Amino acid sequence: MADFGIKAGENVLLVWDQPSTPTTLKQLAEELGTIVGSDGKVSVENVERLLLSSHLASTFDCVVSCVLADSSTVHSSETLAELARILKPGGKLILDEAVTGAEVQSVRTSANLISTLKLSGFTSVAEISKAELSPEALSAYRTATGYQGNTLCRIRISAFKPNFEVGSSSQIKLSFGSKTPKPAEKPALDPNTVKMWMLSANDMNDDDLDLVDSDALLDEEDFKKPDPSSLTVPTCGEGAGKKKKACKNCTCGLAEELEEESKGKEKTNLPKSACGSCYLGDAFRCASCPYLGMPAFKPGEKILLDKTTLTDA
């Protein structure tokens, strides 16, 4: 039991599985009880009943799982998470499990088992030993998992729960150090550098400066107002067989021109009144007027007739 690292006065949980014999299980429990002494305690739990047990969180100093020679359990993620829950902060886990050299559906490799332990919340995961499976254990394992390969071996792994509870918090003190003090006085500038970037009124009248009049940059053509037709881009729908279409974000005025044309077409497409008094109301409408029963409207306003009215007419 020296490789378990159990000390006197600790609370230990021994997890077993089928087909472990009662004799070997009792012998191991007694050996653990001798180590922890009267101040400690050894509890025994079946791995299949572990998730249904009522163990409180952070109860055990050490958990020994499926270390009997004929154990054939594959520790699930839920089982490992429960073991992490009932361990005290800094508690130790010792488990045995059969692994294979190549990953298959029902058997893990040693690397996958170590990764699963880390994902379940354990730290300092390490492989302690490796041994061949006994014929009895190999037969039980094949029956439990359905694996028929010959590359199985048994490894023992130790892992620790982090030295803090899940959900615990701690205040972090940050020290940014002392700030660099600002200089009392601004650094002196080089007089030659200051003189180089200064321009006085006397320099403006200097005959050596060749200043350009901004008005002289424009000629008479620049002051003429351009013809609107010349601002239109040639590719804005102009040409044989093409329909005028304004570009997106048009700036040449074609979009406004097309909008005015469409408004003019809408006015010409308005229905014409035979008597010229349809818009005044039913009192001024003919007996066959399609607008009978409708309120008066403004001249030129577009009126939409429903299907019932058009059918009756």
Side-chain angles (χ1 to χ4, degrees), residues 265-272 300-303:
K265 290 181 179 180
E266 290 179 359
K267 292 182 179 181
T268 57
N269 294 334
L270 292 176
K272 296 182 179 180
E301 184 180 359
K302 186 176 181 180
I303 303 300

Side-chain angles (χ1 to χ4, degrees), residues 38-82:
S38 59
D39 294 334
K41 181 180 180 182
V42 176
S43 302
V44 181
E45 186 70 64
N46 185 276
V47 67
E48 296 180 358
R49 304 286 301 177
L50 181 63
L51 297 177
L52 303 177
S53 63
S54 57
H55 297 295
L56 299 178
S58 304
T59 302
F60 301 99
D61 299 286
C62 181
V63 174
V64 180
S65 178
C66 302
V67 296
L68 297 176
D70 50 358
S71 297
S72 58
T73 292
V74 176
H75 295 82
S76 64
S77 300
E78 293 78 8
T79 301
L80 295 176
E82 179 64 15

Side-chain angles (χ1 to χ4, degrees), residues 50-276:
L50 181 63
L51 297 177
L52 303 177
S53 63
S54 57
H55 297 295
L56 299 178
S58 304
T59 302
F60 301 99
D61 299 286
C62 181
V63 174
V64 180
S65 178
C66 302
V67 296
L68 297 176
D70 50 358
S71 297
S72 58
T73 292
V74 176
H75 295 82
S76 64
S77 300
E78 293 78 8
T79 301
L80 295 176
E82 179 64 15
L83 294 177
R85 186 187 70 85
I86 61 180
L87 271 173
K88 293 181 180 180
K92 187 177 183 180
L93 169 67
I94 302 292
L95 65 84
D96 281 13
E97 185 172 319
V99 296
T100 182
E103 184 178 2
V104 293
Q105 183 175 2
S106 57
V107 187
R108 289 182 291 212
T109 62
S110 59
N112 287 345
L113 177 57
I114 292 175
S115 177
T116 305
L117 283 166
K118 292 179 179 179
L119 292 175
S120 300
F122 290 96
T123 60
S124 303
V125 183
E127 181 179 329
I128 300 176
S129 62
K130 180 184 293 186
E132 297 294 332
L133 287 174
S134 63
E136 295 79 6
L138 181 60
S139 177
Y141 197 84
R142 287 176 175 175
T143 303
T145 62
Y147 179 72
Q148 301 300 323
N150 297 320
T151 60
L152 289 174
C153 65
R154 188 185 191 90
I155 63 172
R156 178 165 294 177
I157 290 181
S158 67
F160 292 86
K161 181 178 179 178
N163 197 20
F164 56 83
E165 287 289 359
V166 177
S168 60
S169 61
S170 177
Q171 185 177 3
I172 300 177
K173 296 181 180 180
L174 300 177
S175 177
F176 297 100
S178 59
K179 297 183 179 179
T180 304
K182 296 182 179 180
E185 297 180 359
K186 294 183 178 180
L189 300 177
D190 186 4
N192 296 328
T193 304
V194 176
K195 185 178 180 181
M196 183 184 301
W197 293 100
M198 291 181 63
L199 186 64
S200 64
N202 296 329
D203 296 329
M204 298 296 295
N205 298 326
D206 195 347
D207 296 336
D208 296 336
L209 295 176
D210 188 12
L211 300 180
V212 179
D213 187 5
S214 58
D215 295 335
L217 300 176
L218 301 176
D219 53 16
E220 295 182 359
E221 295 294 332
D222 295 327
F223 291 99
K224 292 182 179 180
K225 187 176 181 180
D227 186 9
S229 60
S230 63
L231 300 177
T232 305
V233 181
T235 58
C236 288
E238 299 289 345
K242 292 185 179 180
K243 184 179 180 181
K244 286 186 177 182
K245 185 178 180 181
C247 303
K248 186 178 181 180
N249 300 328
C250 176
T251 57
C252 67
L254 182 59
E256 291 79 1
E257 180 182 348
L258 295 178
E259 184 179 358
E260 293 295 332
E261 292 180 0
S262 61
K263 289 182 179 179
K265 290 181 179 180
E266 290 179 359
K267 292 182 179 181
T268 57
N269 294 334
L270 292 176
K272 296 182 179 180
S273 174
C275 60

